[in-house]
Amino acid sequence: MNTQNTQNTKLNTDSFNFANFATDDIAARVAAVQARIAAACIAVGRDPSEVRLLPVSKTHPAAAVYALWQASGITRFAENKVQELAKKQNELASIAPLTWALIGHLQTNKAGAAAVAAAEFQALDSIRIAAALERRLSELERSLDVLIEVNTSGEVSKWGLAAAEVAAFAQALTAYPHLKVRGLMTVAAPDLNDAERGFAALAGLRETLLAQGAPGEWNELSMGMSNDFETAIRYGSSCVRIGTAIFGARG
Ligand SMILES: *Cc1c(COP(=O)(O)O)cnc(C)c1O
């Protein structure tokens, strides 16, 4: 790091409001979550390196993201709204080498902003959004990793495709070459038994898509949040999206 960057770092971090949270607490909490992920993997004979911890920083300040990066070295963070993602990305751009995942439903009129700011979009569930993303991505000459969101919770979530729709959707996505299909994502039902059925269903769907040779990579199964990630890991999760257990309760 050259002198000028060091000065920028000092300038920018000094402007953060560190009074809103305790850096030590974040470091301890992320270490505890990492230990729980490792234990959950080992319990089912999985290598802990197979499971990515994706911290969800929504509603928490950029300073909390900065503290977590410093404590853990984690460089990809997630937000569920594109405006909030872009704001934190801008706040941190000159001081931390971060990339961003968008994990929430996207409106068509925000697809352009998402195409600019996100490295990964985990909630793709409509051709309209796919077409809007493709248009902007092709102008930007960049590609975007996408996960198809699947509704495994019935009435609980209004987002995501039914499992039976995913193969045809994946086929339709071949018309959008700047979208790189990496796998599936689900937001499970709050009830742990229902969540477990949802995780099993998502893992089963992945097997079906692989067996059918559906176009896409299907390496990613993004499932598991603060209250159910160990169960999700048992069912093969490759990416756990954790907010509360790291950053504390949302205000
Ligand atoms: C907020 C959010 C999470 C994290 O939830 P926690 O229970 O705080 O861990 C995960 N996934 C999505 C899609 C979210 O919106």
Side-chain angles (χ1 to χ4, degrees):
M1 198 182 264
N2 66 33
T3 317
Q4 177 152 19
N5 278 344
T6 310
Q7 281 166 355
N8 281 343
T9 301
K10 188 151 191 348
L11 201 74
N12 283 315
T13 52
D14 281 354
S15 70
F16 282 150
N17 179 7
F18 283 95
N20 284 341
F21 66 94
T23 304
D24 289 354
D25 287 356
I26 286 187
R29 288 203 202 103
V30 72
V33 167
Q34 285 170 321
R36 286 172 60 190
I37 290 171
C41 286
I42 288 160
V44 292
R46 299 186 63 194
D47 186 324
S49 70
E50 292 172 19
V51 179
R52 162 164 74 119
L53 169 55
L54 182 61
V56 181
S57 49
K58 67 188 182 200
T59 77
H60 298 286
V65 172
Y66 184 81
L68 181 50
W69 168 62
Q70 293 250 295
S72 66
I74 292 172
T75 56
R76 179 158 298 179
F77 287 78
E79 290 285 338
N80 69 341
K81 294 192 179 120
V82 68
Q83 308 93 301
E84 192 175 349
L85 184 159
K87 182 167 180 285
K88 278 172 217 175
Q89 181 175 55
N90 288 337
E91 287 176 296
L92 294 164
S94 64
I95 58 170
L98 307 182
T99 60
W100 294 85
L102 183 63
I103 60 172
H105 177 75
L106 182 61
Q107 293 167 290
T108 317
N109 64 356
K110 307 265 167 58
V116 171
E120 173 181 2
F121 176 44
Q122 293 204 350
L124 185 61
D125 65 357
S126 88
I127 289 295
R128 259 168 71 95
I129 298 290
L133 286 169
E134 174 69 23
R135 216 172 299 128
R136 190 71 181 106
L137 289 165
S138 99
E139 286 168 8
L140 295 165
E141 297 183 335
R142 66 181 298 247
S143 60
L144 180 67
D145 287 337
V146 295
L147 307 191
I148 297 170
E149 182 170 356
V150 181
N151 185 337
T152 58
S153 67
E155 305 281 283
V156 179
S157 171
K158 54 180 172 167
W159 310 122
L161 297 173
E165 299 173 312
V166 174
F169 185 69
Q171 192 60 52
L173 290 180
T174 59
Y176 308 110
H178 293 83
L179 300 179
K180 305 294 178 197
V181 177
R182 304 297 187 202
L184 305 170
M185 178 274 225
T186 198
V187 177
D191 175 85
L192 198 56
N193 288 320
D194 293 343
E196 188 166 349
R197 271 192 289 278
F199 298 149
L202 202 72
L205 176 59
R206 173 175 176 271
E207 293 304 320
T208 303
L209 294 164
L210 285 170
Q212 292 174 341
E217 228 170 52
W218 314 117
N219 288 331
E220 289 271 12
L221 272 186
S222 176
M223 56 189 197
M225 316 197 324
S226 289
N227 62 353
D228 58 18
F229 68 87
E230 283 138 324
T231 307
I233 286 169
R234 251 195 302 129
Y235 284 90
S237 174
S238 69
C239 174
V240 292
R241 309 178 307 267
I242 312 278
T244 312
I246 294 174
F247 292 108
R250 287 183 285 275

